[in-house]
């Protein structure tokens, strides 16, 4: 890529390089944003093969298969290589033309691919068979020395996963489970969801404990609140009963005091003039304040 960019003026080459870096960085995280950067690079340097390839992969990631195929073809014309042949065939699948993908799988260009490229071509061909409803043929397409090998390569997990998925589609569940397990063993980078597929086959359902805790917490809080309300009602009820008893006692005490006062008045006791300042109950507001004594004899 650097050599290709050197054919451009320095400033232009730097601008193109920045956009290509962003495409590579964002392709897996934000394909739409990566696509935007690829279009900028394409406007700046459409005659650079690396730019056309990057634009093709950005279009492919956003499922713009017609655009992607056009960019890959342009890149192939510029470079003369067949490295992009499998992804070009997969674009045909994406455009709803699995028959065309199968034709490409049988073309002479496949023999020029390296081992990894040939595995990718098998994956695309098997996918095309499944697109056409030929599940058993998809299983046969994936059977190869690479599948039978115990060696682990970057493409091993994906190949085993595709084979397990094809077996499952063909109704061979026990074999599918075996190959999902083999895929999981080879999946060192976590490129597949083989563990989830195994769990589904075993009938295991994953539950998020945090979500359950959040769901249970409001009910627990409501129960606690009801308990507190019940306690408060009990306390209030007890206080009300105590108040009634107190009021009754005070009423009886008041009657006794009134009787005593009447008896004292009849005995010739001097009357007491109680003013606001001489209120004998004023000290109840302040227990440390002595009541005023304005008694006239």
């Amino acid at each position: 890529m650097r050599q290709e960019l050197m054919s451009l003026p320095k400033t232009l080459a730097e601008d193109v390089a920045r956009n290509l870096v962003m495409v590579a960085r964002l392709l897996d995280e934000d394909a739409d944003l990566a696509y935007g950067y690829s279009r900028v690079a394409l406007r700046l340097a459409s005659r650079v093969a690396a730019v056309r390839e990057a634009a093709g992969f950005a279009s492919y990631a956003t499922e713009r298969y017609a655009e992607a195929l056009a960019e890959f073809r342009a890149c192939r014309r510029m470079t003369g290589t067949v490295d992009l042949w499998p992804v070009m065939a997969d674009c045909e699948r994406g455009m709803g033309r699995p028959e065309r993908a199968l034709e490409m799988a049988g073309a002479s260009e496949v023999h020029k691919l390296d081992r990894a490229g040939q595995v990718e071509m098998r994956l695309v061909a098997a996918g095309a068979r499944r697109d056409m409803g030929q599940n058993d043929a998809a299983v046969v397409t994936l059977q190869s020395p690479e599948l039978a090998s115990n060696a682990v390569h970057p493409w091993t997990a994906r190949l085993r996963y595709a084979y397990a998925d094809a077996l499952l589609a063909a109704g061979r569940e026990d074999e599918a489970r075996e190959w999902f397990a083999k895929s999981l063993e080879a999946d060192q980078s976590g490129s597949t969801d083989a563990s989830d597929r195994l769990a589904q086959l075993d009938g295991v359902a994953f539950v998020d404990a945090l979500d359950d805790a959040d769901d249970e917490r409001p009910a627990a809080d409501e129960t606690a609140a009801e308990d507190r309300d019940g306690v408060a009602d009990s306390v209030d009820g007890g206080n009300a009963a105590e108040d009634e008893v107190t009021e009754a006692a005070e009423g009886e005490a008041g009657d006794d005091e009134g009787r005593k006062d009447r008896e004292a008045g009849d005995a010739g006791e001097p009357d007491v003039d109680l003013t606001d300042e001489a209120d004998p109950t004023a000290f109840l507001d302040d227990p440390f304040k002595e009541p005023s004594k304005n008694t006239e004899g």
Side-chain angles (χ1 to χ4, degrees), residues 33-242:
L33 190 55
Y35 176 79
Y37 280 106
S38 74
R39 303 313 290 181
V40 174
L42 192 60
R43 287 196 299 269
L44 294 175
S46 61
R47 295 184 180 181
V48 175
V51 172
R52 304 303 290 265
E53 182 177 346
F57 277 111
S59 298
Y60 179 80
T62 55
E63 299 184 0
R64 294 175 170 90
Y65 297 115
E67 287 185 19
L69 184 57
E71 299 302 336
F72 290 143
R73 284 174 174 169
C75 182
R76 181 168 179 262
R77 286 195 300 270
M78 293 177 180
T79 62
T81 64
V82 296
D83 296 343
L84 297 173
W85 195 254
V87 71
M88 290 169 63
D90 206 36
C91 286
E92 295 285 359
R93 283 187 60 212
M95 295 168 65
R97 301 189 299 215
E99 299 87 352
R100 176 58 182 157
L102 287 176
E103 290 178 10
M104 294 180 68
S108 59
E109 283 83 355
V110 176
H111 301 291
K112 301 177 183 178
L113 295 170
D114 60 12
R115 194 177 182 189
Q118 291 180 358
V119 170
E120 290 296 330
M121 197 69 249
R122 280 187 179 276
L123 292 172
V124 173
R129 290 291 186 187
R130 292 189 59 183
D131 292 343
M132 300 168 65
Q134 301 173 3
N135 294 322
D136 291 327
V139 171
V140 174
T141 300
L142 292 169
Q143 293 173 348
S144 61
E146 291 81 11
L147 180 67
S149 175
N150 291 324
V152 176
H153 300 279
W155 36 261
T156 300
R158 292 177 53 242
L159 179 60
R160 293 177 179 179
Y161 182 94
Y163 187 60
D165 202 28
L167 287 169
L168 189 61
R172 298 158 64 175
E173 185 173 317
D174 292 340
E175 294 175 80
R177 192 194 182 288
E178 177 186 352
W179 281 95
F180 276 128
K182 290 182 178 181
S183 174
L184 182 60
E185 291 176 0
D187 194 1
Q188 301 174 353
S189 61
S191 60
T192 72
D193 63 345
S195 59
D196 294 340
R197 299 298 297 276
L198 278 171
Q200 291 175 0
L201 289 174
D202 292 339
V204 177
F206 294 100
V207 178
D208 193 334
L210 293 178
D211 290 344
D212 288 347
D214 291 340
D215 293 339
E216 293 174 359
R217 187 176 296 113
D221 292 343
E222 291 175 3
T223 302
E226 291 175 358
D227 293 341
R228 288 195 297 271
D229 291 342
V231 172
D233 291 341
S234 299
V235 172
D236 291 342
N239 290 339
E242 292 178 1

